């Protein structure tokens, strides 16, 4: 990457940054973990036990193992190599919101190891409550649990339009397209997906002064940038993995409903790009690779799915580039124009009333990766 910067910038507390924390959602790694994990995800939300049983079946379909922890460990390994190449002496720690290694335990260990100030990379590129503010809450909760010895934690910014992320997605779209039969590639429809959220949550995403809907606006911008970089003039943006009672409005249309609509228009092939996901989480391997693929086959539509960028070498480069940005105080590398927030110290909110907490309806837990 050609970046040689000592990790000696401060976080505003007078301390140098001496570690990097990769903060993620977490997921079960054996069948016995599944139900306790889902109970962690849904604690306090009144989700009925039968709904947890239904979601548990998705995990058990894959042996009771979510891909997310293994994917994050792979990312961390490559980030560590990139940090060494960039001349940055930063040990990398790993913590999760909902399953081991729990972020509270990780931050406590960081304090015991003598870490006084660390940067935090979240495995979500987006604004919004689930994509950003909840990570601030994780930071604040973990520091409170660690007590007086807790390190200061500065969360890195949102990165939905970073050139390295968009480049990885665009290449994945092109590589997926060539997997289609040659005769249908030119007419294939490019369809982007991201995790749906309640409309009320999207309305409240971002500072009120910015007009809300920060999540859906950023996703739409990332889709536009990726389509352009991949050489597509037109595309669709749809949503997936919604939950909750049908009377509660969520972002639509759903990917499977959209496939029905495309079939009705005579579309015979689709390229699906999960632009809302950095890795092959359960929503990707179940909701797209299983349910949506089966739906497409039922409709006679050729279906290919673009890879997520987490395994691309550029993703580790992106993480280190965000670290270097923070250490050097350089302008954000970006391609889009939507507001770019997310970087605060010790769990503070980005702005007054930014991404206000919305009470989620009972149903499938959001982001059950």
């Amino acid at each position: 990457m050609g970046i040689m910067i000592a990790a000696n910038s401060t976080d505003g507390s007078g301390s140098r940054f001496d570690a990097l924390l990769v903060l993620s959602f977490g997921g079960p790694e054996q069948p016995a973990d599944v139900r306790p994990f889902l109970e962690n995800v849904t604690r306090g939300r009144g989700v009925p036990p039968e709904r947890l049983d239904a979601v548990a079946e998705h995990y058990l379909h894959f042996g009771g193992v979510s891909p997310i922890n293994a994917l994050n460990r792979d990312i961390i390994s490559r980030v560590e190599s990139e940090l060494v190449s960039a001349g940055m002496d930063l040990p990398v720690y790993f913590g999760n919101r909902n399953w081991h290694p729990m972020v509270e335990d990780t931050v406590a260990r960081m304090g015991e190891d003598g870490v006084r100030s660390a940067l935090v990379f979240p495995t979500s590129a987006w604004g919004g409550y689930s994509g950003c503010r909840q990570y601030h809450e994780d930071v604040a909760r973990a520091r409170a649990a660690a007590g007086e010895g807790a390190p200061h934690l500065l969360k890195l910014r949102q990165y939905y339009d970073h050139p390295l992320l968009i480049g990885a997605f665009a290449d994945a779209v092109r590589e997926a397209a060539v997997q289609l039969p040659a005769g249908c590639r030119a007419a294939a429809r490019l369809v982007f997906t991201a995790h749906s959220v309640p409309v009320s949550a999207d309305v409240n995403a971002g500072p009120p002064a910015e007009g809300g809907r920060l999540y859906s606006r950023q996703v739409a911008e990332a889709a536009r940038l990726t389509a352009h970089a991949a050489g597509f003039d037109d595309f669709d943006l749809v949503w997936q993995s919604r939950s909750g009672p049908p009377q509660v409005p969520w972002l639509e249309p759903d990917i499977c409903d959209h496939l029905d609509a495309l079939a009705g228009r005579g579309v015979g092939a689709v390229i699906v790009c999960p632009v809302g996901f950095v890795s092959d989480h359960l929503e990707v391997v179940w909701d797209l690779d299983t349910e949506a693929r089966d739906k497409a086959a039922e409709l006679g539509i050729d279906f290919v799915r673009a890879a997520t960028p987490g395994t691309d070498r550029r993703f580790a480069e992106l993480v280190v580039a965000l670290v270097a940005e923070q250490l050097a105080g350089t302008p954000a590398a970006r391609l889009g124009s939507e507001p770019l927030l997310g970087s605060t110290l010790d769990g503070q909110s980005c702005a007054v009333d930014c991404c206000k907490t919305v009470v989620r309806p009972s149903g499938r837990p959001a982001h059950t990766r």
Side-chain angles (χ1 to χ4, degrees):
M1 290 175 57
I3 300 171
M4 297 293 290
I5 301 173
N8 58 7
S9 296
T10 65
D11 64 356
S13 67
S15 301
R16 67 188 292 274
F17 293 114
D18 44 16
L20 173 67
L21 167 62
V22 173
L23 178 57
S24 195
F25 189 86
E29 298 190 84
Q30 58 181 345
D33 297 344
V34 173
R35 189 56 184 257
F37 161 74
L38 292 175
E39 290 169 355
N40 282 348
V41 174
T42 60
R43 184 173 290 117
R45 297 180 189 169
V47 178
E50 58 271 19
R51 189 57 189 144
L52 294 186
D53 292 339
V55 177
E57 288 303 315
H58 298 171
Y59 287 95
L60 296 174
H61 179 83
F62 298 101
V65 179
S66 167
I68 189 170
N69 274 358
L71 291 167
N72 282 331
R73 291 187 181 104
D74 179 62
I75 288 170
I76 287 168
S77 177
R78 285 180 285 108
V79 166
E80 289 172 333
S81 296
E82 287 292 329
L83 287 168
V84 170
S85 296
M88 297 183 191
D89 182 18
L90 288 175
V92 183
Y93 291 81
F94 177 30
N96 286 320
R97 178 183 305 152
N98 295 301
W99 200 247
H100 306 285
M102 303 296 288
V103 65
E104 295 91 338
D105 297 334
T106 299
V107 171
R109 181 162 60 88
M110 292 167 72
E112 292 166 1
D113 289 348
V115 174
R116 300 273 65 87
S117 187
L119 295 168
V120 180
F121 174 79
T123 58
S124 168
W126 313 102
Y129 178 73
S130 295
C132 185
R133 180 161 178 166
Q134 208 166 6
Y135 287 93
H136 295 303
E137 294 175 357
D138 296 337
V139 165
R141 186 183 67 255
R143 293 192 74 249
E148 189 174 338
H152 291 287
L153 299 173
L154 180 68
K155 180 178 171 291
L156 293 167
R157 67 170 176 87
Q158 296 155 11
Y159 51 93
Y160 77 95
D161 63 346
H162 196 285
L164 290 170
L165 187 73
I166 298 301
F169 272 126
D171 284 349
V173 167
R174 284 189 287 261
E175 290 163 8
V178 300
Q179 298 171 28
L180 288 169
C184 67
R185 288 176 199 164
R189 189 70 183 168
L190 176 58
V191 179
F192 292 97
T193 71
H195 203 299
S196 186
V197 298
V199 171
S200 59
D202 190 47
V203 167
N204 287 317
E210 299 285 355
R213 301 189 182 275
L214 184 61
Y215 172 64
S216 61
R217 287 158 53 196
Q218 288 181 343
V219 170
E221 183 82 334
R224 182 188 67 81
L225 292 167
T226 299
H228 177 76
F232 285 77
D233 296 325
D234 200 13
F235 63 91
D236 300 323
L237 172 59
V238 303
W239 306 91
Q240 64 173 88
S241 312
R242 72 148 289 161
S243 61
Q247 66 269 24
V248 176
W250 283 55
L251 296 178
E252 295 179 335
D254 176 77
I255 176 63
C256 289
D257 293 338
H258 189 62
L259 290 172
D260 273 324
L262 290 178
R265 288 160 40 191
V267 172
V270 295
I271 305 161
V272 175
C273 176
V275 74
F277 300 89
V278 302
S279 295
D280 283 9
H281 305 152
L282 188 76
E283 289 95 339
V284 176
V285 298
W286 177 262
D287 296 344
L288 294 182
D289 292 351
T290 306
E291 290 188 334
R293 188 181 297 276
D294 289 350
K295 181 68 172 179
E298 172 191 320
L299 296 168
I301 296 175
D302 285 306
F303 179 105
V304 291
R305 197 263 292 173
T308 49
T311 56
D312 190 294
R313 60 174 177 77
R314 285 168 288 191
F315 194 76
E317 292 177 5
L318 180 156
V319 177
V320 177
L322 293 177
V323 170
E325 254 181 34
Q326 184 65 49
L327 298 182
T330 54
R334 59 178 314 204
L335 299 173
S337 57
E338 293 295 344
L340 197 63
L341 304 168
S343 182
T344 72
L345 180 65
D346 293 344
Q348 299 173 57
S349 178
C350 296
V352 175
D353 288 336
C354 186
C355 301
K356 291 183 294 184
T357 303
V358 175
V359 177
R360 292 196 180 110
S362 296
R364 174 176 167 186
H367 297 284
T368 50
R369 293 179 281 203

